[in-house]
Amino acid sequence: MCISQLGNSFFRCVRHHLTASKYTLYGSSHQILRRLGCVKEQQFKDVLNEISQEVDRRRHLSETSVRRAAAIKDEYQPLHPHVYHLQESYLAPKFKQIVEYCRSVDTSIEGLLDLVVEEAATRVYRFPVFEKGFCEELLEELEHFEQSSSPKGRPNTMNQYGILLNEMGFDKDFITPFREHYMSPLTSLLYPDCGGRCLDSHKAFAVKYDLNEDLDLSYHYDNAEVTLNVSLGKDFTEGNLYFGDMRQVPLGETECSEVKHVVTEGLLHRGQHMHGALPISSGQRWNLIIWMRASQERNKLCPMCNRRPTLVEGDGFADGFTKQKLKP
């Protein structure tokens, strides 16, 4: 008997999505809540109610996303239909030069850094990705969608303002070929130790920072093996990113590095590298985020719950896990 991987079926980790059950309010979590000032019975009930609502939301993530995507496909009229299809003309010449180098036979990280790639922090790389004109048109499309009556799903629990690009229809003809043909050669060279050579799925979304909405993003790590973060615009001041260490390193032993984020440029880093975004002081900023995932890595250990994943089938790329089955 041999084991084969089901490359076409992707799964979600039940442990990651559903560990926030009512039972977590007891034991050590109960003590933590007390230290944070939760002492009255009603306060515990309020916390339990909030957690229960979040568990229910996570249980139905896939089906609600499918419904939204169907409604968007039926109702929404794109402003710039061409931006949904990746074209070489959208890409910065220097980015294409980087990819060509990574596709060649004799490559090295040193040679890559001699081109136009800058190591902005430890294993955090900055380089041009898109042309300015494309960024402007993509932003116009995103804002047009934001102002429409179509249903909208938010990227995650940390970003309250943003858009899930798969629901808009960007995956098939833009994000997937971009990951497979352009990002994979780069990640294979830079991150072979954390799945960079075997990326097979992703989650792509746009996030928005505004003085009247989300100003910043707190310290966190991503549900990804490798992350690309591209600044799309608009005009803004401040709002740099900062990077600490890998999530396994205690915060007290971490020294953060501040990294400037320039419009049209991308920052590429390991998903488990702790980072955050400082508040903007004026204007509005949009970022394109692509969480790139390698099922070969995450099938062994869920990067979010740090346990062997317990899987249920999901729609699309789900959480990037795949399931193995026995074949005679």
Side-chain angles (χ1 to χ4, degrees):
M1 300 176 71
C2 66
I3 296 178
S4 68
Q5 192 150 291
L6 300 176
N8 294 327
S9 298
F10 286 87
F11 293 75
R12 300 166 59 233
C13 176
V14 177
R15 289 183 187 274
H16 161 44
H17 285 288
L18 303 181
T19 47
S21 70
K22 64 181 180 181
Y23 303 107
T24 61
L25 285 184
Y26 298 92
S28 60
S29 297
H30 195 277
Q31 295 171 4
I32 291 171
L33 287 173
R34 284 192 178 279
R35 287 201 299 270
L36 293 173
C38 187
V39 293
K40 297 180 180 179
E41 185 63 29
Q42 186 57 48
Q43 291 175 318
F44 282 102
K45 288 182 179 179
D46 291 342
V47 171
L48 175 58
N49 182 57
E50 189 173 338
I51 291 175
S52 297
Q53 290 179 22
E54 178 61 16
V55 168
D56 187 63
R57 185 189 72 83
R58 294 187 184 197
R59 283 184 188 276
H60 299 95
L61 273 177
S62 291
E63 56 195 76
T64 53
S65 180
V66 168
R67 285 199 299 268
R68 282 194 303 264
I72 292 167
K73 186 176 181 180
D74 289 342
E75 303 168 7
Y76 178 65
Q77 295 296 320
L79 178 65
H80 298 305
H82 59 276
V83 302
Y84 291 76
H85 303 268
L86 180 63
Q87 299 178 33
E88 283 246 333
S89 60
Y90 299 162
L91 305 176
K94 290 182 178 179
F95 178 67
K96 288 184 276 190
Q97 182 185 358
I98 291 167
V99 175
E100 277 305 308
Y101 175 81
C102 293
R103 288 172 178 165
S104 63
V105 178
D106 297 318
T107 60
S108 67
I109 294 177
E110 292 75 19
L112 186 59
L113 296 178
D114 285 341
L115 289 173
V116 288
V117 176
E118 174 191 354
E119 189 171 15
T122 302
R123 301 192 74 184
V124 178
Y125 302 97
R126 176 167 53 202
F127 47 86
V129 178
F130 297 120
E131 292 278 44
K132 183 74 179 297
F134 169 73
C135 290
E136 291 171 348
E137 285 196 319
L138 179 57
L139 266 181
E140 289 174 2
E141 181 64 38
L142 295 174
E143 290 184 319
H144 183 254
F145 176 74
E146 274 281 273
Q147 294 162 11
S148 75
S149 59
S150 296
K152 300 164 184 71
R154 298 311 177 189
N156 49 64
T157 55
M158 297 186 72
N159 295 106
Q160 299 303 309
Y161 299 90
I163 298 168
L164 291 165
L165 296 184
N166 67 305
E167 294 184 359
M168 287 184 69
F170 275 95
D171 263 4
K172 181 183 176 182
D173 295 320
F174 193 108
I175 304 297
T176 296
F178 180 72
R179 168 176 54 81
E180 292 178 344
H181 302 309
Y182 294 94
M183 292 310 303
S184 284
L186 191 52
T187 60
S188 294
L189 178 60
L190 294 175
Y191 304 112
D193 55 325
C194 54
R197 288 179 177 162
C198 52
L199 300 173
D200 55 0
S201 70
H202 60 261
K203 176 179 179 177
F205 52 94
V207 294
K208 180 174 68 167
Y209 299 91
D210 186 277
L211 292 180
N212 299 313
E213 298 172 344
D214 286 339
L215 278 175
D216 55 13
L217 187 61
S218 58
Y219 202 49
H220 67 285
Y221 58 90
D222 299 335
N223 187 358
E225 273 63 63
V226 182
T227 295
L228 176 68
N229 183 337
V230 182
S231 177
L232 299 176
K234 299 179 166 181
D235 294 323
F236 60 90
T237 55
E238 306 292 340
N240 288 343
L241 275 66
Y242 59 95
F243 289 85
D245 213 316
M246 298 300 281
R247 72 182 179 100
Q248 297 86 355
V249 178
L251 186 59
E253 300 175 17
T254 296
E255 185 173 329
C256 290
S257 301
E258 190 171 331
V259 177
K260 188 174 183 180
H261 212 185
V262 181
V263 174
T264 74
E265 293 188 350
L267 291 170
L268 189 68
H269 62 88
R270 294 162 292 175
Q272 302 296 288
H273 195 157
M274 298 291 293
H275 60 285
L278 296 169
I280 60 171
S281 57
S282 68
Q284 187 181 93
R285 185 178 78 185
W286 284 80
N287 290 43
L288 167 65
I289 314 291
I290 306 178
W291 286 351
M292 294 175 281
R293 294 159 168 173
S295 61
Q296 185 174 308
E297 293 294 323
R298 59 183 42 226
N299 285 350
K300 306 170 194 171
L301 193 72
C302 173
M304 302 305 287
C305 65
N306 209 34
R307 299 179 184 178
R308 185 175 180 84
T310 301
L311 303 177
V312 294
E313 192 161 0
D315 292 287
F317 288 130
D319 283 336
F321 299 93
T322 54
K323 203 169 187 178
Q324 295 178 333
K325 71 175 182 179
L326 295 176
K327 273 191 174 181

